[in-house]
Amino acid sequence: MFHRPAVPPLRSGRLTTAAIALGLLGTLATSAWAGAREPSPQQRAQAPVTAVRPTAGTATPLSGYTIQSSAKVTASPAAVSSPGYRPTGWYPAGARSTVLAALIADGVYPDPFYSTNQRKIPKADFQVPWWYRSDFTVTDRTERTHLDFSGVISAADVYVNGKQVAKAADVNGAYTQHELDVTSLVRSGTNTVAFRIRPNDPNKNLTMGWIDWLQPPPDQNMGIVRDVLVRRGGPVALRDAHVVTSLAVPSLATADLTVKARARNDSNAPVTARISGSIGTKTFATTVSLAAHRTKTVTFSVHLDSPKVWWPAGMGGRPLYDLDLTAAVNGAPSDTAHESFGIRDVQAPLNSDGARQYRVNGRKLLIKGGGWSPDEFLRWDRTYVEDRLKYALDLGLNTIRLEGHIEPDEFFDLADRYGILTLPGWECCDKWEGQVNGGETGDKWTAADYPVAKASMTAEAARLRDHPSVISFLIGSDFAPDATIEKTYVDALKAADWRTPVVAAASDNSSPISGSSGMKMTGPYDWIPPDYWYAKREGGATGFNSETSAGPDIPTLDTLRRMMTPAELATLWKDPTTKQYHRSPSPVFNTLKLYDNALTGRYGPPTSLTDYVRKAQLAQYENVRAQFEAYERNATDASKPSTGVVYWMFNSGWTSLHWQLMDRYLDQGGAYFGAKKANEPLHIQYSYDNRSVVVLNNQNSPARQLTARATLFDTDGTQRYDKKVTGVKVSGGGAHSTALTLPTSVPGLSTTYLVRLTLTDASGKEVSRNVYWLSAKPDTLDWAHTDWYYTPTTSYADLKGLNSMARVPVSATASTSAGADGTSATTVTVRNSGQGKTPSLLTDVHLVDSAGKPVLPVRWSDNEVSLWPGESRTLTVTYRTADLHGSAPRVRVSGWNTPERTVPAA
């Protein structure tokens, strides 16, 4: 994230949070912190013992650990790491767990996502090393045994059965991969591995840090956040198996595959191994002779006619191939390797304006993405991650950007399956860019950092290269690496057979080898009006904007009450200058002043918390919609087209007041449904810059015989203008067509007015509807005083007329049917049953349980709809039946000028 210092030399940074099981933190107390407590005897009894599979070629992850501060451990490392040691008073921890994540799960601290609970956790407890200890059993010693791991934050001394097998100077860095041969130490029966984890300082270590996304965790994520594998095998090990694909573009008629793997002789004698493999019906084999402790690269060539080509979601299918390899010595299996991969081609040249333009399989596409945040405590929960990726598809997005915090393998497996493109890369604002970011935070590199950086890049390249969802690696974020660091990265990428584009930075920077990034990081990160996005300057819809949004995204009232005390909630609408703990630690972003001033200036001062949240959802809907609509419309322009936009951010890793399209609990409000509306497949939209009404087609096929209609109303529903255009046609693949242009003035139209756009097909069926609330008095931007995070607004649009809209009753009927796959679908018909002319604006429908709590996650066919008198809409919501927790479903209906009501939906 680009942070020009607001007050030298302070730099605002970003902080992150990731995946957590829904409701996990709801089980924790929300009272004031009472201090750490010792685990119960029952908890101590849960110390895991992992049964290691004996078969050659298997990799068994350790199932978890017991952990304790080194300040409380008096035994020697040899004793701690020996079988039979009794970890009395230690805490259980999961297989992938930071120290603080384990302590939270063990009930040591109350919910850190509520109020300021996290601030009360003592940082000093995490400024000493912590022990991680785990037992595993081996039934025989006929196979060789290796420990294979990454994800250690920040560094660790490693011990097995009382012996040190690695030092922290070598096991250093969150992304470095380590394989330790412990064959000579392993015994039949119980064995012990122990890690003495060093404290983490992201400004001093090439690990993971938090910037200004959230309040940083007191332990700075120290721990082990990826699986530690116990590998078993024979004399010859297979490592680094992968497939280099070359697809014929544009015909897609053939593909040439190069299979590579390293065969390594781990024994003290020469061996001859037979390496055989298959990809689908294609089989191949070779024999390789290896001297003792020598390694050779084995290569196979495979040609495919009519390959099954992988496409991003919405552009085609997402087939995957499987590579299976076996090494046998004297006819006995010695090791196996398996990789899934997709066949696709990615190119990202710079266009004539210097912007990076992605092409997949020869087809140009607009990158529409969001910035991903893992859980603040780096807890991995596959279901929660999958739910968020499904939300990305529901929103019509095609890309997720991961700035640091590069998720485990399962994340990319899911992205492959769902067709979601990913842009992983290193993070800004700490040691990763300390050498090149001037006066920003992050120590300068020493000679010891370069090998860690190279090992990190080597490991991540090897891990990500076969995933078709990965379309680049960003070796810089706010700054590009210097020549020495870039060569370190590029050499590692080349050695790993990395074939997708390497991008120098997420900002407008360049590096000697990779050249210009073709991206911009010009903000905004705080509030600007909707018309900002249409200007082809700064963060407006031109080029590739790697991270941008209008800043705050206030959650729903349900979520706000889960995350803040009543006194804290009152500050949201009563005092814009209050420092908001749930916004950011940054002095630039720690209040809601810009946002709240705009809300008051445009919509009028809030009269209550409910009124504040109501206005926030309206404001977020219009702003997020405008951001995506502007980039969509400009994508096919001949001059300075838009090529990519990444909403900052897609989600938050904790309970946040900014940078999120959905909140921590996956509830959906104005920001979510504004994005969903803007990115619908066939879409009619209004242009804030030139008043044109545009039809945009994100489908592959062209659309013809469409009818576009624009109608303008006073806020009381009086119609002032109506125009219909028939015979509208638009090509596919993101093309747009201008159907009409609204007049600059309409006689009698109120200062605040409504625009209803509809698009119908040849049969008269409505295929897109879009409602805007606009003002005859525009927002005025002070471009000359643009800062790195926003452009000031000198006068606001007058939308206060919306406050005078009459209250309109909306009736609702709902029914629910259960599916065979553990899901349910509730169908809701909402109808404006008012007797006058006034529409119901932004009518929201929430699925709730019998206690009125939202059922989450959910996926709506549409929501936050606007209905004129007599109009009705039928909406469908799908969800996991289990998320009702045995309750009967209900539907809560509310809106801008709609009284809230709840109806049964059984």
Side-chain angles (χ1 to χ4, degrees), residues 696-752:
L696 195 138
N697 186 9
N698 279 312
Q699 302 170 127
N700 290 330
S701 303
R704 300 183 179 87
Q705 294 183 302
L706 302 172
T707 298
R709 184 179 182 181
T711 312
L712 277 59
F713 301 88
D714 292 341
T715 53
D716 67 0
T718 300
Q719 181 175 310
R720 298 295 186 180
Y721 174 87
D722 185 57
K723 185 171 183 180
K724 183 187 294 185
V725 177
T726 61
V728 176
K729 59 182 178 180
V730 57
S731 301
H736 73 267
S737 175
T738 299
L740 60 105
T741 300
L742 297 183
T744 55
S745 64
V746 174
L749 190 65
S750 56
T751 300
T752 305

Side-chain angles (χ1 to χ4, degrees), residues 397-570:
L397 304 182
N398 57 27
T399 304
I400 291 294
R401 180 183 165 211
L402 300 96
E403 187 196 2
H405 310 92
I406 304 173
E407 293 279 33
D409 295 343
E410 296 97 319
F411 175 91
F412 297 96
D413 291 338
L414 290 168
D416 293 345
R417 183 199 305 174
Y418 289 118
I420 300 171
L421 304 174
T422 62
L423 291 171
W426 304 129
E427 64 199 52
C428 83
C429 315
D430 55 23
K431 183 61 176 275
W432 285 100
E433 293 187 344
Q435 190 71 8
V436 295
N437 65 7
E440 307 295 351
T441 57
D443 288 2
K444 298 291 185 183
W445 286 28
T446 68
D449 293 313
Y450 290 88
V452 176
K454 186 170 186 177
S456 300
M457 188 73 266
T458 297
E460 288 304 291
R463 193 171 69 91
L464 300 177
R465 64 194 164 196
D466 278 347
H467 288 283
S469 58
V470 178
I471 58 169
S472 277
F473 198 95
L474 278 65
I475 56 174
S477 177
D478 292 20
F479 298 88
D482 63 22
T484 304
I485 296 175
E486 182 189 27
K487 188 174 188 303
T488 297
Y489 291 147
V490 171
D491 286 351
L493 287 161
K494 286 182 178 178
D497 290 323
W498 186 266
R499 297 291 296 271
T500 53
V502 177
V503 180
S507 58
D508 184 12
N509 278 297
S510 62
S511 54
I513 301 172
S514 306
S516 172
S517 71
M519 295 185 178
K520 66 179 183 179
M521 193 185 282
T522 48
Y525 299 100
D526 214 324
W527 191 86
I528 43 81
D531 61 348
Y532 171 99
W533 300 109
Y534 284 85
K536 290 196 172 185
R537 56 182 297 174
E538 275 76 30
T542 182
F544 194 119
N545 199 339
S546 68
E547 49 182 62
T548 186
S549 76
D553 286 305
I554 304 301
T556 63
L557 193 56
D558 296 291
T559 291
L560 285 171
R561 287 172 171 157
R562 293 181 70 175
M563 60 186 268
M564 300 170 74
T565 66
E568 291 166 344
L569 291 172

Side-chain angles (χ1 to χ4, degrees), residues 62 153 183 187 255 272 279 321 409 413 443 528 535 563 589 640 644 663 686 718 783 871:
L62 295 179
I153 301 176
T183 304
R187 64 191 69 171
T272 299
I279 296 176
Y321 286 84
D409 295 343
D413 291 338
D443 288 2
I528 43 81
M563 60 186 268
F589 300 121
K640 299 177 71 175
D663 65 41
Y686 167 80
T718 300
W783 291 104
E871 287 186 333

Side-chain angles (χ1 to χ4, degrees), residues 15 100 110-123 211-218 376-377 563-565 568-569 571-572 575-586 589-592 652 654-658:
L15 311 145
L100 191 50
D111 181 356
F113 288 174
Y114 181 76
S115 185
T116 58
N117 283 350
Q118 184 172 228
R119 181 184 286 163
K120 303 167 188 175
I121 300 174
K123 295 181 181 179
I211 312 153
D212 47 14
W213 307 353
L214 45 69
Q215 298 291 348
E376 176 168 11
F377 310 111
M563 60 186 268
M564 300 170 74
T565 66
E568 291 166 344
L569 291 172
T571 66
L572 294 177
D575 187 1
T577 63
T578 297
K579 291 183 180 180
Q580 296 292 345
Y581 188 72
H582 286 268
R583 186 160 187 215
S584 173
S586 161
F589 300 121
N590 63 2
T591 76
L592 291 165
S652 180
W654 85 320
T655 43
S656 178
L657 296 171
H658 74 166

Side-chain angles (χ1 to χ4, degrees), residues 642-851:
S642 55
T643 62
V645 59
V646 176
Y647 188 87
W648 203 252
M649 298 176 63
F650 176 71
N651 70 295
S652 180
W654 85 320
T655 43
S656 178
L657 296 171
H658 74 166
W659 297 341
Q660 56 190 354
L661 290 174
M662 78 288 301
D663 65 41
R664 184 67 186 82
Y665 303 107
L666 302 185
D667 205 355
Q668 305 156 332
Y672 187 96
F673 290 112
K676 181 177 172 69
K677 174 58 63 176
N679 293 317
E680 61 187 355
L682 187 59
H683 179 63
I684 188 168
Q685 66 186 56
Y686 167 80
S687 303
Y688 282 84
D689 59 341
N690 60 16
R691 302 179 64 82
S692 62
V693 174
V694 168
V695 177
L696 195 138
N697 186 9
N698 279 312
Q699 302 170 127
N700 290 330
S701 303
R704 300 183 179 87
Q705 294 183 302
L706 302 172
T707 298
R709 184 179 182 181
T711 312
L712 277 59
F713 301 88
D714 292 341
T715 53
D716 67 0
T718 300
Q719 181 175 310
R720 298 295 186 180
Y721 174 87
D722 185 57
K723 185 171 183 180
K724 183 187 294 185
V725 177
T726 61
V728 176
K729 59 182 178 180
V730 57
S731 301
H736 73 267
S737 175
T738 299
L740 60 105
T741 300
L742 297 183
T744 55
S745 64
V746 174
L749 190 65
S750 56
T751 300
T752 305
Y753 61 97
L754 304 175
V755 177
R756 183 182 67 195
L757 304 180
T758 60
L759 187 69
T760 53
D761 63 17
S763 69
K765 178 184 176 183
E766 187 174 281
V767 292
S768 179
R769 166 184 285 227
N770 212 346
V771 175
Y772 296 79
W773 39 101
L774 302 174
S775 172
K777 178 189 175 187
D779 294 291
T780 305
L781 286 157
D782 182 8
W783 291 104
H785 290 92
T786 296
D787 205 337
W788 63 266
Y789 63 98
Y790 87 120
T791 297
T793 303
T794 55
S795 64
Y796 297 111
D798 184 359
L799 299 171
K800 300 178 185 68
L802 297 177
N803 294 312
S804 64
M805 292 180 70
R807 302 279 279 175
V808 175
V810 173
S811 62
T813 58
S815 62
T816 298
S817 59
D821 56 353
T823 64
S824 291
T826 296
T827 301
V828 186
T829 299
V830 288
R831 180 183 179 86
N832 182 334
S833 52
Q835 299 303 308
K837 299 180 295 183
T838 306
S840 62
L841 183 63
L842 220 68
T843 301
D844 178 86
V845 187
H846 254 70
L847 183 74
V848 298
D849 63 17
S850 56

